[in-house]
């Protein structure tokens, strides 16, 4: 979970031995899950930031061309 949102699950089982895993195993998997969730969240934030940077770059280029152009035909191109 990240910020109250479930983003995935880690499932571990031993079909031959129901009681195979201990509370210590559960604590380890919980710790790993928290770290994995943080990494996934950070990757999502990074991708969102990259997309925003691309949008802003295109917007800046368009704005610059509009400001530097004197006629409507050039602006529309």
């Amino acid at each position: 979970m990240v910020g109250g949102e479930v983003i995935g699950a880690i499932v571990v089982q031993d079909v031959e031995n129901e009681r195979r895993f201990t509370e210590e195993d559960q604590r380890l998997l919980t710790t790993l899950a928290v770290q994995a969730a943080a990494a996934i969240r950070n990757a999502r934030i990074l991708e969102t930031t990259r997309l925003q940077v691309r949008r802003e770059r295109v917007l800046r280029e368009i704005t610059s061309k509009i400001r530097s152009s004197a006629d409507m035909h050039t602006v529309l191109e």
Side-chain angles (χ1 to χ4, degrees), residues 47-64:
E47 183 59 24
T48 300
T49 302
R50 286 180 177 162
L51 288 172
Q52 185 63 31
V53 165
R54 279 189 220 127
R55 286 185 193 118
E56 290 178 10
R57 186 175 296 135
V58 169
L59 182 59
R60 186 177 61 242
E61 289 173 15
I62 292 169
T63 303
S64 175

Side-chain angles (χ1 to χ4, degrees), residues 65-66 68-77:
K65 288 181 181 186
I66 290 171
S68 66
S69 179
D71 66 287
M72 184 57 83
H73 179 70
T74 304
V75 169
L76 293 176
E77 285 181 352

